[in-house]
Amino acid sequence: MSALWSVGAGLLLLLLWVRHRGLEAVLVHHRWVFVCLFLLPLSILFDIYYQLRAWAVWRLHSAPRQHAQRVRHIQEQVREWKKEGSKRYMCTGRPGWLTVSLRVGKYKKTHKNIMINLMDVLEVDSERQVVRVEPLVSMGQLTAYLNPMGWTIPVVPELDDLTVGGLIMGTGIESSSHIYGLFQHTCVAYELVLADGSLVRCSPTENSDLFYAVPWSCGTLGFLVAAEIKMIPAKKYVKIHYEPVRGLQKICEKFTEESKKKENSFVEGLMYSLDEAVIMTGVLTDEAEQSKINRIGNYYKPWFFKHVEKYLKADRTGVEYIPSRHYYHRHTRSIFWELQDIIPFGNNPVFRYLFGWMVPPKISLLKLTQGEAIRKLYEQHHVVQDMLVPMKSLEKSIQTFHVDLNVYPLWLCPFILPNNPGMVHPKGNETELYVDVGAYGEPKSKQFEARASMRQMEKFVRSVHGFQMLYADCYMTREEFWDMFDGSLYHKLREQMNCKDAFPEVYDKICKAARH
């Protein structure tokens, strides 16, 4: 009873404090209180529900049997929309807060919502080395399913909650992308329900125009209902080498050199200032030195970016063996480094050992509960952006990020960009090495102003023939947007497939200039 009295007294004091400070002030300036007491436990319940559901589906083998029925239901909804006169654009009925993107999808309230309940792994074809999945399958779910079978996918984008559909219709990248390209480049086929309710399959040899137009289209050509993704054999560990590098020119030279080496299974860079970085290279292996195994995914371990920083501070290189699945999701617990702004003491050893098993809070729940005040605060004083630029422009790009944003750490992730048709390809006719420069956090640049600074960044990225990831806030005009992206195939297919009355143009769906 004494314990219950203590808990009750603590909650009463908390409520009195919240009432005194005001709920909005607490949510804005002491958000960790709300996150620790409510969102972390809720996130655990979310995870338990989805894990139990995935287990039940696997045990009952219900996913392949029910998939066709669920797809027919989507087709029926589209045909019903046509019977009603096609008066409104269509979109998926998944609530906007459930997506990992920080953008608020206001169109959900005005468009015809098509309910799509497709979140299962359908088939693992070991002979073809292909896994067929539904669009709401997450990266955490997929690696947990494949790894025990001895398989993985070539590109495993970092955060657990990223879905296959989001990574195809948007984009996805990981430190293996210097070999395999973006997530879309590891896909061999898509299945979509089109604006007329028909079901089509597309691949490089079947409906190839549609296959190359789907990536980056953000659901404006049809509803994705399944995808086939390449698989590769999984190995137990990633042997990772940490190397601190100082001096911007040396950082760029070393990063470029390592990114060109195909013997590196993984290449990644974390920049902690304009002239300080740690460059990491990894190799998949089944053998490991027991004394050098680091299970970084365990809840009590330091956040990965903080662990990496120790090599920079000590100015020493190092080698570790990280279990593969731990490596694939190494930035998940700290949401890269975003969680330090939400729970400032989250990397404290006491917090990690007592409560680290509940971390991270679901990004979807953070969005759902952020409120208008926090949303505006984040929009004006926070940046979450990934800019994809040619590797040859890396040094100039980092300097531009430093002047316009001054956000650290910066994430550097190389990728090969083939000259395929579609919205994103190199300027020339040859495959080209690119790099994703990711900025997540509070800009320290004195002249930072969200709209003006980001428009300046977008202008620079267009000038070097780079691309902005479309999950983030985009401030370009329509002309600037289609100067950055190649819309020739996309617009051709929108015309051919009668999409103009069924789905908004991708620009109108994602850009602030169109949504406000």
Side-chain angles (χ1 to χ4, degrees), residues 320-339:
E320 289 182 327
Y321 294 83
I322 298 175
S324 294
R325 194 156 185 271
H326 289 217
Y327 177 82
Y328 286 134
H329 303 287
R330 64 200 175 282
H331 291 298
T332 293
R333 281 192 301 126
S334 56
I335 318 177
F336 279 86
W337 29 92
E338 289 276 68
L339 197 57

Side-chain angles (χ1 to χ4, degrees), residues 139-140 155-162 167 172-175 268 304 325-336 411:
M139 290 298 100
V155 175
V156 185
E158 179 56 47
L159 301 178
D160 280 13
D161 290 341
L162 292 169
L167 295 167
I173 191 171
E174 191 36 81
S175 51
E268 174 183 25
F304 185 66
R325 194 156 185 271
H326 289 217
Y327 177 82
Y328 286 134
H329 303 287
R330 64 200 175 282
H331 291 298
T332 293
R333 281 192 301 126
S334 56
I335 318 177
F336 279 86
W411 190 51

Side-chain angles (χ1 to χ4, degrees), residues 133-184:
V133 299
E134 292 179 328
L136 295 181
V137 168
S138 69
M139 290 298 100
Q141 176 187 354
L142 187 55
T143 54
Y145 190 96
L146 291 179
N147 290 171
M149 298 180 185
W151 296 103
T152 187
I153 56 174
V155 175
V156 185
E158 179 56 47
L159 301 178
D160 280 13
D161 290 341
L162 292 169
T163 63
V164 168
L167 295 167
I168 291 170
M169 290 295 186
T171 193
I173 191 171
E174 191 36 81
S175 51
S176 56
S177 288
H178 67 295
I179 298 173
Y180 299 104
L182 299 172
F183 186 83
Q184 70 202 55

